[in-house]
Amino acid sequence: MRRRRTGAARRWAAVGGGVAVLLALPSLIGALPASDAGTPAADLRRAALASTGVAFTGYAQAAGGLALPVGEQLTGVADLLSDRTTMRTWYRGVGDWRVDVVTPTGETGVHADAGGTWTWDYVAGAATRTPDTALALPTAPDLLPSELGRRLLSEAGDAELSRFGADRVAGRDALGLRVVPAEEAASVGRVDVWVDAASGLPLRVQVFGHSGGEPAVDSSFLEVELTTPPAEIVDFAVPPAATIREGQDPQLLQAATRGTRGGLALPAVLAGLERRRIEGAPATVGVYGRGATLLTVSALPGRASAGLRSALAGAPDAVVDELGVRIAAGPLGLMLADGPDGTVLLSGTVTLDALAAAATELAGGAP
């Protein structure tokens, strides 16, 4: 009897061990070394840009390391770039997706359709409609590695691209693709994108300043499945008792339009960066540069600039001179410039020297 019990115990131990191995398989597979397919950098970028048609469901986190002292109108952007953002996402295609931002106090769902987005605040019972606009402040869905990776790769030249091996991201083989911006004004030292070897979907994105160290932005899928989510999960219908609000972006654009007394004259080139053509953008808002090197210039009303000026001037490393006040938070620069017709806000992934040069040019002086 003792032998029988011992034999049975061994068999059950073997079964238990087998079950343990089966349960551990997902994590073991995720820990396996990635296979580098040797795909050239230019081909890998093309695959990433073509991945807009790849449907998926996923769970992602984005961590921002940028401490931004800003006024109340930009508080949401500051929080987004300085905190950890946890997101669940369902993506059926361009303009047909849902991203739920998960916080300790609840969830906020962003649903995209052909005309823009609905943002549903579960706790407040409020639905905010934001139409597609020429210019928009960044939101949590913009930090998804799939979206962020494609945007940062979209305008990189072949000479700025290189490969750097492979890794396992969300249990999938991901090939490393690096962008080193060529512009002299660039404050971003490099962008590292891990691209799914099978589908081209960007799975992780890290943005570094010139000083290296920890990434200013680190966005990664923790889980991802390349399956098409049901339409009913993505679609949104405003609940009958919901409070309906207007998105903030149209309000800020309207403020920029009336921000200066005589109108802000924007040149074709600023700080060595060419102005972009953006259909529907106000004449007093200009975007310069490409890819990871962008500079945005807009007029700012006195009421909106007062709080922001105080916040910027109070930052430890703020530069205050005859041009105005400017700061750098990692690779992101912010400046309030004092122009002849009012206050101008300059912001973007450019150096403080580039901000000063742009302010000088706007004031009519030599760069």
Side-chain angles (χ1 to χ4, degrees):
M1 293 294 293
R2 181 177 299 176
R3 288 183 180 179
R4 289 184 181 178
R5 287 197 297 269
T6 302
R10 287 175 179 173
R11 288 195 297 274
W12 281 108
V15 171
V19 171
V21 170
L22 288 175
L23 292 176
L25 273 179
S27 59
L28 291 174
I29 292 173
L32 291 175
S35 174
D36 191 336
T39 307
D43 291 348
L44 191 56
R45 182 187 59 167
R46 280 192 287 272
L49 298 183
S51 68
T52 54
V54 178
F56 63 87
T57 60
Y59 178 75
Q61 282 190 341
L66 306 179
L68 296 175
V70 297
E72 60 180 8
Q73 284 186 309
L74 296 176
T75 299
V77 178
D79 291 344
L80 192 65
L81 298 177
S82 61
D83 293 337
R84 184 177 300 275
T85 304
T86 301
M87 296 167 282
R88 287 200 298 260
T89 180
W90 299 263
Y91 180 90
R92 292 170 53 85
V94 177
D96 190 12
W97 48 262
R98 170 184 171 183
V99 175
D100 282 3
V101 180
V102 184
T103 68
T105 59
E107 295 184 6
T108 299
V110 183
H111 301 252
D113 56 37
T117 61
W118 280 104
T119 300
W120 172 242
D121 187 328
Y122 292 83
V123 176
T128 301
R129 181 60 174 175
T130 303
D132 284 334
T133 57
L135 295 172
L137 294 174
T139 60
D142 296 318
L143 288 184
L144 281 174
S146 49
E147 180 65 25
L148 182 61
R150 284 192 292 258
R151 194 190 71 75
L152 294 177
L153 291 172
S154 63
E155 296 177 332
D158 286 350
E160 297 173 304
L161 298 172
S162 62
R163 286 290 318 282
F164 66 97
D167 203 348
R168 298 282 292 183
V169 180
R172 301 183 65 86
D173 281 354
L175 308 181
L177 182 58
R178 177 165 294 164
V179 180
V180 178
E183 286 81 5
E184 184 178 349
S187 57
V188 172
R190 75 177 196 270
V191 176
D192 289 346
V193 183
W194 284 262
V195 180
D196 182 40
S199 67
L201 187 72
L203 299 176
R204 187 179 188 186
V205 180
Q206 290 184 314
V207 180
F208 295 87
H210 282 292
S211 60
E214 294 296 317
V217 177
D218 187 349
S219 178
S220 180
F221 280 113
L222 305 182
E223 300 173 5
V224 67
E225 293 184 10
L226 303 187
T227 57
T228 303
E232 57 267 24
I233 291 180
V234 174
D235 294 342
F236 178 73
V238 180
T243 301
I244 300 179
R245 299 170 178 171
E246 179 187 15
Q248 189 181 39
D249 290 334
Q251 300 171 17
L252 292 177
L253 291 177
Q254 293 166 13
T257 303
R258 60 177 183 268
T260 57
R261 294 186 297 274
L264 178 62
L266 295 172
V269 178
L270 195 61
L273 303 173
E274 293 186 3
R275 187 176 182 182
R276 304 170 68 95
R277 294 184 178 273
I278 301 179
E279 189 70 27
T284 52
V285 177
V287 180
Y288 294 81
R290 63 182 179 87
T293 308
L294 292 175
L295 170 63
T296 301
V297 182
S298 64
L300 204 61
R303 288 181 303 172
S305 65
L308 181 56
R309 182 183 298 274
S310 176
L312 294 183
D317 298 321
V319 177
V320 182
D321 55 22
E322 68 280 359
L323 294 174
V325 55
R326 56 191 180 274
I327 68 162
L332 182 63
L334 289 172
M335 180 175 187
L336 278 182
D338 301 316
D341 296 313
T343 303
V344 179
L345 172 65
L346 301 95
S347 62
T349 47
V350 297
T351 63
L352 289 184
D353 288 344
L355 289 177
T360 301
E361 294 172 35
L362 289 173

